[in-house]
Amino acid sequence: MTTPLADARRVVVKVGSALIVDEKSGAPHKARLAAIARDIRILQERGVRAALVSSGAIALGRRRLGFSGAALSLAQKQAAAAAGQTALMTAW
């Protein structure tokens, strides 16, 4: 029996903020990111074209900017995304 992914030639991997950001420190969760990157490399070695879609910029940026609480205004979300984007790219 084969799995639905066994014959896939292209895969999109969507990773949410909860997997990317360490809940305690607010920093990128390096071990998880490394594991995801290894899995994508394995797919590529099998000839699968893999694309990564990653959340996490706002979650990383809100800590950098000192935004606390659950709700952010649109302007705060935009600022957090801008501040967190470089941290996200660096982490990957």
Side-chain angles (χ1 to χ4, degrees):
M1 180 174 166
T2 62
T3 65
L5 290 178
D7 297 327
R9 293 186 298 169
R10 290 189 190 111
V11 173
V12 176
V13 179
K14 167 60 169 82
V15 184
S17 298
L19 291 177
I20 290 175
V21 180
D22 184 280
E23 198 173 295
K24 293 177 185 174
S25 70
H29 197 295
K30 293 182 180 183
R32 285 188 190 145
L33 296 177
I36 293 165
R38 279 192 302 272
D39 290 344
I40 291 172
R41 185 186 71 228
I42 290 167
L43 288 171
Q44 290 174 333
E45 288 171 352
R46 293 180 183 168
V48 176
R49 293 183 66 186
L52 174 69
V53 178
S54 176
S55 296
I58 293 174
L60 291 171
R62 73 184 298 145
R63 297 273 179 138
R64 281 184 155 186
L65 297 177
F67 294 150
S68 60
L72 296 179
S73 69
L74 178 59
Q76 288 173 317
K77 287 179 185 178
Q78 290 172 326
Q85 186 63 35
T86 55
L88 181 60
M89 290 186 301
T90 300
W92 279 116

